[in-house]
Amino acid sequence: MTSTSSPAKNVESPCISVCELNAQNVCIGCWRTLDEISRWWDMSNDEKREVLQKADARSAG
């Protein structure tokens, strides 16, 4: 019997090595907050996906 589900792939960091914070302490390269950046490696994949959605919204203005 084979499993239809596979292990969840780890969500990769959106960092593009443009590490500069704006006045709101948001990175202008990946659009994550300083807190989100510092906690990234301790977050679950679901938490990372939430951060990516927020970052997309920030980048859109």
Side-chain angles (χ1 to χ4, degrees), residues 30-48:
C30 66
W31 295 100
R32 294 178 293 167
T33 65
L34 188 56
D35 179 60
E36 292 165 345
I37 293 167
S38 66
R39 294 185 320 105
W40 183 262
W41 300 110
D42 295 324
M43 291 181 182
S44 69
N45 280 337
D46 287 339
E47 290 172 313
K48 290 176 181 179

Side-chain angles (χ1 to χ4, degrees), residues 1 5-7 10 12 14 16 33 43 52 59:
M1 180 184 230
S5 63
S6 60
N10 194 31
E12 293 185 26
I16 59 169
T33 65
M43 291 181 182
L52 293 176
S59 71

Side-chain angles (χ1 to χ4, degrees), residues 3-14:
S3 174
T4 57
S5 63
S6 60
K9 184 178 178 189
N10 194 31
V11 176
E12 293 185 26
S13 170

